[in-house]
Amino acid sequence: MVAQGGLGYLESARWHDGTLWFSDMTRYKVYRLSSDGRPEVVADVPGRPSGLGFDPDGAPMVVAIDDAQLLRLGNATPEKLADLAPVAFHPNDMAVDRNGRAYIGPQGYVFGEDPVGVSLVVCHPDGRIDTGGEDLIFPNGIAISGDGRTLVVAESFRAPRTRLTAFTVTDDGSLVDQRVFAEFGSPDTETIDGICIDSEGAVWAAFPWIGEFRRVRDGGEVTDIIRITPDTEAYPDGGAFAVDLALGGPEMRTLYMLISDTNPQRLGNSMDATGRIEAIEVDVAGIRD
């Protein structure tokens, strides 16, 4: 166990500058782990934090879901970089490339209503906002390959089969050549949440409803599966949701797994969850900053 206690529903695991960062959507905070494994509060985000990333100078950036804003953290008051409301309903997860471009996935529709296909939102460092891709169903986890040329996004609730969708990233940040990276089962069981990419271009993906983390190659071959179990002492009535993950550590071979013990009803009503972070060593390293 890396960290537990005092944490809620965790999202957006990111390894940056030798430490793990993540958002707590229940407690409206962004954390990083200290050298002794204690979560340290980086910022309070009243607009409910989700997607995290870092600009070329290392400043943290976060998506505030409820306010539909892209923020830069670091000062006493977060700085608004972009108002996402005109282009994104419930902006959620995010990946930031080495040029500072932020790729953001909007939820796109209200749960319980018919899914609506959307595009990714691309926020450029100069303030321009573009879109990329089309007909994405609940684009969620987003990751960029080590060479910056491939972006992969999880279509969490696409029916009849959830999928990872890939794009080629052009020199100006545009997304072209939309294609299927891998397909899975029904969104009732195999919905996908957070993802990360390793140095071989394979994707680690979190499957919350079934409590699994899987490593998947382009084309759909699953090479590794990690199954997690509920922490019934911390949350007696819940299951173990595999939420997000990141590769880090001294050799970039430590897979940090964000896990939230909860159940669908309590999660849907108030994001009620008990969060924890576990880690395991894997064979293929992640991508360094």
Side-chain angles (χ1 to χ4, degrees):
M1 185 75 66
V2 176
Q4 68 177 145
L7 299 173
Y9 195 84
L10 309 181
E11 276 280 8
S12 198
R14 301 288 185 265
W15 183 262
H16 174 71
D17 196 22
T19 192
L20 183 72
W21 295 62
F22 56 95
S23 294
D24 189 328
M25 297 175 70
T26 305
R27 288 161 174 77
Y28 293 74
K29 298 180 185 297
V30 172
Y31 289 93
R32 64 186 170 200
L33 288 184
S34 66
S35 57
D36 61 2
R38 292 183 299 104
E40 296 178 338
V41 176
V42 175
D44 292 294
V45 183
R48 193 156 58 104
S50 184
L52 283 171
F54 302 86
D55 71 16
D57 294 327
M61 303 159 65
V62 64
V63 174
I65 295 178
D66 295 342
D67 294 340
Q69 293 181 350
L70 175 62
L71 306 173
R72 179 187 285 121
L73 306 178
N75 299 318
T77 302
E79 174 190 357
K80 183 172 75 172
L81 297 176
D83 179 9
L84 304 173
V87 291
F89 174 76
H90 268 231
N92 185 17
D93 210 347
M94 173 176 69
V96 180
D97 71 11
R98 290 182 173 131
N99 295 304
R101 290 183 288 250
Y103 296 86
I104 300 166
Q107 180 176 315
Y109 63 97
V110 177
F111 280 125
E113 298 182 357
D114 291 336
V116 175
V118 297
S119 300
L120 295 181
V121 176
V122 187
C123 296
H124 296 270
D126 62 5
R128 289 181 299 119
I129 297 180
D130 292 328
T131 59
E134 59 184 12
D135 193 32
L136 299 168
I137 303 300
F138 203 108
N140 200 347
I142 307 175
I144 299 172
S145 62
D147 62 5
R149 291 296 184 179
T150 302
L151 180 145
V152 180
V153 58
E155 295 193 62
S156 294
F157 293 103
R158 176 169 286 279
R161 302 177 68 189
T162 61
R163 68 171 57 156
L164 297 173
T165 295
F167 297 88
T168 298
V169 184
T170 66
D171 289 343
D172 67 359
S174 300
L175 300 178
V176 299
D177 188 24
Q178 182 172 337
R179 59 197 183 274
V180 176
F181 186 95
E183 287 189 315
F184 304 98
S186 163
D188 294 333
T189 54
E190 296 194 5
T191 188
I192 316 164
D193 200 335
I195 67 173
C196 67
I197 296 180
D198 67 24
S199 57
E200 292 184 353
V203 171
W204 278 98
F207 293 79
W209 301 159
I210 56 176
E212 287 185 358
F213 296 97
R214 301 178 187 173
R215 182 178 184 265
V216 188
R217 290 194 174 116
D218 193 353
E221 178 191 2
V222 178
T223 65
D224 300 85
I225 298 177
I226 300 170
R227 294 184 177 90
I228 57 176
T229 57
D231 185 345
T232 54
E233 182 176 347
Y235 206 117
D237 300 325
F241 281 37
V243 182
D244 204 351
L245 69 176
L247 284 160
E251 303 299 325
M252 297 300 295
R253 286 187 168 86
T254 303
L255 186 68
Y256 292 93
M257 299 172 288
L258 304 190
I259 302 165
S260 289
D261 293 290
T262 186
N263 61 47
Q265 180 180 3
R266 298 186 74 167
L267 183 64
N269 290 340
S270 60
M271 298 298 293
D272 182 16
T274 297
R276 54 191 162 106
I277 302 173
E278 297 192 4
I280 188 172
E281 296 301 306
V282 297
D283 293 332
V284 181
I287 302 164
R288 295 191 181 276
D289 291 340

